[in-house]
Amino acid sequence: MHLSSIFSTIGLASLALAGPVQVAERQAQKLRIMPLGDSITEITCWRAFVWDQLAEAGLANQVQYVGSQNSNPQGCRPNTPNWDQRHEGHSGWLAIDIANNYLTNWLRSTPADIVMFMLGTNDVFRGRSTNDIINAYTKMVQIMRAANPRMKIIVDLVIPLSFNNGPITQLNARIPEWARSLNTTESPIVIADCYTGFNAMSDLRDGVHPSLSGDRLIASRVGPLLLNYVRQALEERGHALGATFWSERALHGAWHTAVRTTQDSGIAGPDLSWHPCYTFYNPSFLCARLTVPMDYSRPLNSSSPVPKVHIALLLLPGQGSSSPSALNSTSSTPQPKQPLLINPGGPGGSGVITTLLLGSSLQKVLGADQPILAFDPRGIAFTTPMADCWAVPWTDAGHGHGDRGDTHGADDDNEGNTAAGLMHRLEWERVNQAYGLVSEGEPWMRYLDVAQRGVVELCRRHAESVEQRKDTILRWAGTRHVARDMLSIVDAWERWVYGKRTGAESEVVQGDEGLRGKLVYWGFSYGTYLGATFAKMFPDRVGRVMLDGVVDAVGYEEAVWPESLVDADKVLGTFFKYCVETGPKCDLYRAGDSAEDIQQRYEAVMDRLQKDPITFTHPDHYYPVVLSYRLVKLLVFGVLYQPIQGFPILATLLNYIYAGEYERLAPLFQSGELLCTLASNPLLSETMSDAQRAIMCSDKTQPMNMTLPELTATYKRLSKTSQFADIWFNSMSKCNTWDLAPLPIDPWAASAPLSAPKSPSQIETANPILFLSNTYDPVTPLSAAVKMARRFRGAGLLEQLAQGHCTIAAVSRCTAKVIREYLASGTVPEVVEHEGKESWQSCAADEAPWKNVGSAEVGAWTAEEREYPWHPGSWSVSCGLFWTTSWAQDTSSFQLVQKRPQLTLHDPGCQGYCNQRRHGRVVSYCH
């Protein structure tokens, strides 16, 4: 059980003891306070520290926070541990869109007596004018007063940014006069000055969001004003001040009794048994563990013990589904639809974490009645055993290695002490950062070769430490085994839905009859290879399979993926084009520039860094910072995955370097003392693994055992495809000398080559597959989607006219409609051949870099389109190949983290390691 679940359970128990009448009276008497805002309200701790002030003043039992959100994503630990975590903070959302589309319904659903808000940061990021933001403030006040004529309002001055802070200062300068013009006795407005004295270096953890000191400063400015409002409101209600102080600190010790994760409360077995979990993210979430054989040739019912894999499952039920107890019973309630399995890519991405963070948004696209069933593939995250070569092997006596009592699972769940090895892994990754890219000279290629061989040898030694080497998860993590696990999940769902529950046969959801016992799936990036492999192995079990950001299966199984980067440089080229079209809003732009001028400025920055890396002394942490070519190029390559969110930030950072304003980059670099906290971060220990290496290398059709000259020659061939080959090659080299798994017995290359959409050698599936791709994808080009679509009879192909990795890199109502239609009826956009040329359906994107969906556009949308989750704070997740693991390991001191709606450079410390909290692994899952 998670900490938040512990405290919510204790709170519910205390209310139950009071009785329903007393509870209703107490709740009716409480003042309702709505913390309203964006990510500076949602993923920060100042709300918790303000609650401390309410508790210390003896007012906590007379007030409550309200809002549709109930979360503590930063793991805040105030003095009052069972603080009220409800709020209306929405990461990435604009004040303009909250005012125009959302606030009315929020206040109708969760009425408030006091609203305190800080908004405008995202409006500034999106280029909205100060007038537009102030007008949105005015509309919000009107909505608040319409909901409650005596509403008391606290407006915060917006905290500074570490870059492009001018628009923030302009907005803050306008707020005081605006507030005075709208202030009334009945509904007063006061200003909390959170700007003055706020240090954009030390009080921000990532250039945007407050650090611990920043949170405390905000609380110190907001808290006293809120206390004054609360006392006034209580007096107006006739309450006596100084009520008995209910000390919430009595529960403080519960912080130290929390267990690893709610996943561990699931009972593993060959059948599904669901239990509530992660309710602080969504009260509907259910968890289970499914036990499968590690080697399917040795089934679970074998006479002798067999190694097992315990697959972590997370279910987000569809709208109208029964309660967990009813779902686990033998009742005859209507059956849920066939669930959608997802895989975010990697390989190595966590489906569980992806769904925790994006499940509700995905469900809005797919339809509210569509269940989403996430799983962590073998070796990854919460599925055990984990693929972790760095885990210190168990010994009978310990001898400094720890004993099995140190771990959280059963003996067959773990192949070593993961926590003990984590610091070694982190140290190793930091050492690697000191070296350059292979494009910078022969010594770097030699070091890369030695380093990768060293890790492979570590994995080999780890495998030998397992009781029988053939039973290590490193041997059984390949995609074909995961595809077989997916079939086990589908079968287990079948048994759960139809096996125990009477009357089920006649109550299948209408339109879902043909999907019973079949796979419904959305795979991104590497997840497309997994989905295609499933379809190849079990074509009769294909229900609805969407493959998004498509991997060329033949190329993936080769030593080096030769065609992956064919469009990467084209995506970068659009950065220069969009910057010129945007003009002054692009910080790298100068008056009169052409796209070629922007490109030359970019190349000048990169050439400078390659010849003469930049150094400066960190103004706060007092250590030398080295801004290297390698570091910045990694950043640029990462941004290609999400151009809409990333290009504006990239322009700002490049401009700082071009203009010589190096110290403005200081907030991007971590404090050295934070390194000491990383090894104790449980989510980090659960997600930094060697699953990517084990999966990718197990999928190779030929052993990779290249000499240094062969590696160099291979890189030179790859470099002719893209300037980012030096980054890509680091990941490709991971499999050199890997020999832990047997070679695949049915490689894709053995299939007859397909040159036309209707070839006799196509794989015929029970239902057609839908392939999706952007026009320009940096690592999975459109050409791969075309090639893979040819391999499956009746497959459809949709091209989204956008850049970035996977179609979720951009908003497109057209794409969403195609997806919904496919899930509902199985209809796919046909690939047509005419006069030797193929054609397929395309969908325009509704946004572009610096041109996001705004209020005017939303106003013209249909009611159904306005339900889609990609406005106004257009969400998107960076799916992908090596984006989910390598990036974290290569850039742990300078991390690019996917945000909604903008990319942020993030400091991975004890306060800030949110990399899995809102968008799976590093960069993929953070808000």
Side-chain angles (χ1 to χ4, degrees):
M1 182 177 288
H2 194 279
L3 294 174
S4 300
S5 300
I6 291 173
F7 292 126
S8 63
T9 300
I10 293 172
L12 289 173
S14 66
L15 289 177
L17 290 173
V21 176
Q22 292 90 332
V23 169
E25 291 174 349
R26 285 170 54 186
Q27 293 291 78
Q29 293 173 351
K30 287 187 176 182
L31 280 174
R32 300 160 299 185
I33 304 165
M34 176 181 284
L36 171 66
D38 48 30
S39 58
I40 297 173
T41 295
E42 181 182 16
I43 61 170
T44 52
C45 290
W46 66 264
R47 289 182 287 119
F49 298 144
V50 168
W51 190 267
D52 274 346
Q53 297 178 43
L54 291 166
E56 290 165 4
L59 299 170
N61 61 332
Q62 300 181 68
V63 301
Q64 59 180 333
Y65 284 161
V66 296
S68 62
Q69 310 278 46
N70 189 357
S71 62
N72 180 20
Q74 284 296 104
C76 307
R77 300 190 179 193
N79 293 329
T80 47
N82 59 333
W83 62 287
D84 196 331
Q85 298 175 9
R86 288 171 292 185
H87 62 92
E88 206 63 80
H90 298 268
S91 295
W93 288 34
L94 281 66
I96 291 171
D97 292 299
I98 288 174
N100 289 335
N101 301 304
Y102 294 98
L103 185 57
T104 298
N105 287 335
W106 288 343
L107 287 170
R108 184 180 297 124
S109 301
T110 55
D113 302 297
I114 302 170
V115 174
M116 48 185 182
F117 74 87
M118 180 188 298
L119 281 164
T121 302
N122 292 299
D123 301 76
V124 167
F125 278 138
R126 300 294 186 90
R128 300 309 175 91
S129 70
T130 301
N131 282 339
D132 287 344
I133 301 171
I134 291 294
N135 289 338
Y137 280 12
T138 300
K139 186 167 184 177
M140 285 192 289
V141 169
Q142 293 168 348
I143 293 170
M144 293 173 195
R145 288 172 173 169
N148 180 353
R150 303 189 66 82
M151 185 77 77
K152 301 182 187 302
I153 304 166
I154 300 173
V155 181
D156 301 345
L157 296 188
V158 181
I159 62 175
L161 300 172
S162 64
F163 54 90
N164 194 29
N165 194 50
I168 296 295
T169 59
Q170 293 171 20
L171 172 61
N172 285 338
R174 291 279 302 278
I175 290 176
E177 179 57 35
W178 165 84
R180 280 192 292 271
S181 70
L182 292 180
N183 187 48
T184 67
T185 302
E186 187 177 42
S187 174
I189 302 175
V190 295
I191 297 172
D193 184 359
C194 299
Y195 185 88
T196 304
F198 196 105
N199 189 313
M201 296 297 183
S202 60
D203 292 333
L204 293 175
R205 67 172 187 257
D206 55 8
V208 178
H209 300 93
S211 61
L212 181 61
S213 61
D215 279 323
R216 293 194 182 282
L217 187 147
I218 294 173
S220 72
R221 307 294 171 82
V222 174
L225 299 176
L226 179 62
L227 292 177
N228 186 47
Y229 267 169
V230 169
R231 293 187 177 104
Q232 289 178 13
L234 291 176
E235 288 176 352
E236 291 168 3
R237 286 187 174 191
H239 283 272
L241 294 178
T244 303
F245 176 50
W246 176 40
S247 175
E248 299 178 350
R249 292 182 182 140
L251 299 177
H252 183 69
W255 286 106
H256 305 292
T257 63
V259 297
R260 163 185 171 252
T261 171
T262 57
Q263 278 289 352
D264 277 345
S265 57
I267 300 173
D271 292 305
L272 299 178
S273 178
W274 299 102
H275 65 93
C277 61
Y278 301 111
T279 53
F280 52 95
Y281 279 109
N282 188 316
S284 299
F285 277 137
L286 302 172
C287 284
R289 282 191 182 275
L290 178 67
T291 299
V292 298
M294 187 176 289
D295 174 7
Y296 277 91
S297 69
R298 293 180 285 166
L300 294 177
N301 59 2
S302 299
S303 56
S304 58
V306 297
K308 305 177 184 68
V309 174
H310 306 296
I311 301 173
L313 299 172
L314 177 72
L315 175 65
L316 179 58
Q319 192 176 69
S321 294
S322 303
S323 65
S325 58
L327 289 173
N328 283 318
S329 74
T330 58
S331 69
S332 58
T333 54
Q335 308 310 309
K337 292 180 68 174
Q338 194 73 4
L340 177 96
L341 274 68
I342 63 171
N343 183 280
S350 165
V352 168
I353 296 174
T354 301
T355 302
L356 283 173
L357 307 172
L358 290 176
S360 297
S361 294
L362 285 172
Q363 202 169 56
K364 288 182 179 179
V365 177
L366 302 169
D369 61 340
Q370 177 61 62
I372 296 176
L373 178 54
F375 73 104
D376 283 345
R378 46 177 66 198
I380 296 171
F382 301 115
T383 286
T384 59
M386 176 184 282
D388 186 0
C389 301
W390 296 82
V392 176
W394 300 117
T395 63
D396 292 336
H399 300 296
H401 291 204
D403 57 50
R404 292 184 186 271
D406 294 337
T407 188
H408 50 67
D411 290 354
D412 64 350
D413 284 355
N414 297 277
E415 296 185 356
N417 190 329
T418 299
L422 179 59
M423 184 57 76
H424 299 304
R425 181 193 293 274
L426 293 172
E427 290 171 352
W428 174 263
E429 302 300 346
R430 288 187 64 80
V431 168
N432 288 334
Q433 293 170 29
Y435 296 90
L437 298 169
V438 294
S439 60
E440 297 181 80
E442 189 273 342
W444 308 134
M445 178 67 79
R446 184 187 307 119
Y447 175 78
L448 174 66
D449 181 35
V450 171
Q452 298 291 20
R453 287 174 182 266
V455 177
V456 171
E457 176 59 25
L458 178 69
C459 293
R460 198 175 288 120
R461 290 286 299 274
H462 174 87
E464 292 170 353
S465 72
V466 179
E467 186 172 347
Q468 298 182 37
R469 177 175 173 177
K470 68 177 181 178
D471 291 342
T472 173
I473 193 62
L474 298 174
R475 177 181 173 88
W476 299 101
T479 299
R480 59 194 182 280
H481 306 303
V482 180
R484 181 62 183 84
D485 290 342
M486 289 168 66
L487 186 63
S488 294
I489 294 171
V490 172
D491 289 342
W493 178 270
E494 176 86 355
R495 291 193 302 272
W496 173 67
V497 171
Y498 299 101
K500 295 176 18 177
R501 310 176 71 205
T502 60
E505 294 289 345
S506 61
E507 299 192 46
V508 181
V509 173
Q510 185 175 3
D512 212 34
E513 298 89 341
L515 298 180
R516 177 176 170 180
K518 291 182 170 58
L519 176 69
V520 179
Y521 175 77
W522 196 350
F524 303 98
S525 195
Y526 156 80
T528 67
Y529 175 79
L530 172 59
T533 299
F534 179 95
K536 181 183 178 184
M537 293 173 63
F538 313 108
D540 60 326
R541 304 296 292 274
V542 171
R544 302 284 186 266
V545 173
M546 298 182 292
L547 305 182
D548 191 342
V550 184
V551 171
D552 176 6
V554 174
Y556 169 81
E557 292 177 349
E558 296 177 0
V560 175
W561 306 341
E563 303 299 324
S564 294
L565 299 178
V566 294
D567 289 336
D569 290 12
K570 295 175 185 176
V571 180
L572 178 61
T574 65
F575 168 71
F576 311 127
K577 177 180 74 74
Y578 284 122
C579 184
V580 168
E581 292 176 356
T582 300
K585 291 182 181 178
C586 172
D587 287 341
L588 202 58
Y589 175 83
R590 303 293 185 269
D593 270 351
S594 65
E596 291 73 20
D597 295 324
I598 304 293
Q599 183 173 353
Q600 290 174 8
R601 201 165 290 126
Y602 162 78
E603 291 172 349
V605 168
M606 301 307 292
D607 289 344
R608 156 102 189 258
L609 290 169
Q610 190 167 25
K611 295 173 183 176
D612 186 17
I614 294 167
T615 62
F616 62 91
T617 300
H618 199 292
D620 297 306
H621 305 311
Y622 200 71
Y623 64 82
V625 172
V626 178
L627 192 62
S628 67
Y629 171 79
R630 173 183 181 275
L631 209 55
V632 176
K633 192 169 186 179
L634 280 166
L635 169 63
V636 174
F637 182 63
V639 164
L640 302 185
Y641 282 58
Q642 292 289 317
I644 291 172
Q645 290 80 16
F647 279 1
I649 300 300
L650 177 62
T652 298
L653 299 179
L654 290 173
N655 187 57
Y656 285 162
I657 300 172
Y658 184 78
E661 301 177 43
Y662 309 132
E663 288 200 5
R664 299 189 72 170
L665 300 171
L668 311 179
F669 295 86
Q670 64 192 17
S671 167
E673 66 187 25
L674 295 180
L675 291 175
C676 299
T677 70
L678 294 181
S680 62
N681 187 303
L683 196 50
L684 180 60
S685 66
E686 295 298 337
T687 49
M688 288 194 75
S689 73
D690 296 285
Q692 183 183 98
R693 188 187 302 266
I695 297 167
M696 179 177 64
C697 302
S698 297
D699 291 339
K700 300 298 180 187
T701 56
Q702 296 293 329
M704 183 177 176
N705 194 10
M706 294 185 182
T707 63
L708 183 60
E710 289 171 333
L711 287 171
T712 301
T714 302
Y715 162 68
K716 288 181 178 179
R717 288 194 298 272
L718 188 62
S719 66
K720 295 178 182 179
T721 303
S722 170
Q723 61 184 286
F724 298 102
D726 46 2
I727 295 174
W728 203 237
F729 194 76
N730 281 17
S731 295
M732 300 296 98
S733 64
K734 286 183 175 182
C735 295
N736 203 25
T737 73
W738 182 272
D739 60 356
L740 273 70
L743 297 176
I745 58 175
D746 186 22
W748 281 88
S751 304
L754 302 174
S755 58
K758 296 182 180 180
S759 168
S761 57
Q762 285 181 316
I763 301 169
E764 185 167 3
T765 54
N767 291 282
I769 297 174
L770 175 59
F771 290 87
L772 304 104
S773 176
N774 284 331
T775 301
Y776 293 133
D777 187 305
V779 291
T780 54
L782 175 62
S783 58
V786 175
K787 187 182 299 185
M788 290 301 296
R790 290 174 182 161
R791 292 185 172 273
F792 294 92
R793 184 164 301 170
L797 174 61
L798 178 69
E799 175 187 354
Q800 183 169 277
L801 304 177
Q803 306 82 37
H805 190 32
C806 308
T807 59
I808 53 176
V811 172
S812 172
R813 289 165 291 153
C814 172
T815 300
K817 289 177 181 178
V818 171
I819 289 172
R820 280 195 174 188
E821 176 63 24
Y822 172 66
L823 289 174
S825 66
T827 303
V828 296
E830 186 179 0
V831 179
V832 178
E833 184 181 16
H834 179 67
E835 296 181 353
K837 295 183 179 180
E838 295 169 282
S839 62
W840 47 82
Q841 182 178 339
S842 63
C843 275
D846 292 318
E847 62 176 355
W850 287 283
K851 297 178 182 178
N852 302 96
V853 178
S855 305
E857 293 89 344
V858 171
W861 290 7
T862 67
E864 180 185 31
E865 289 169 340
R866 280 195 288 270
E867 284 300 310
Y868 295 159
W870 34 45
H871 82 284
S874 167
W875 70 270
S876 51
V877 55
S878 192
C879 64
L881 293 156
F882 303 112
W883 190 239
T884 57
T885 52
S886 297
W887 185 258
Q889 297 168 5
D890 286 341
T891 60
S892 62
S893 67
F894 187 80
Q895 293 195 337
L896 180 68
V897 176
Q898 166 61 35
K899 300 284 296 178
R900 184 185 64 191
Q902 72 279 348
L903 294 172
T904 297
L905 291 161
H906 182 60
D907 182 359
C910 55
Q911 282 293 314
Y913 209 97
C914 66
N915 305 45
Q916 292 79 15
R917 238 190 327 270
R918 270 201 186 268
H919 282 351
R921 280 274 357 216
V922 173
V923 180
S924 295
Y925 312 127
C926 181
H927 271 279

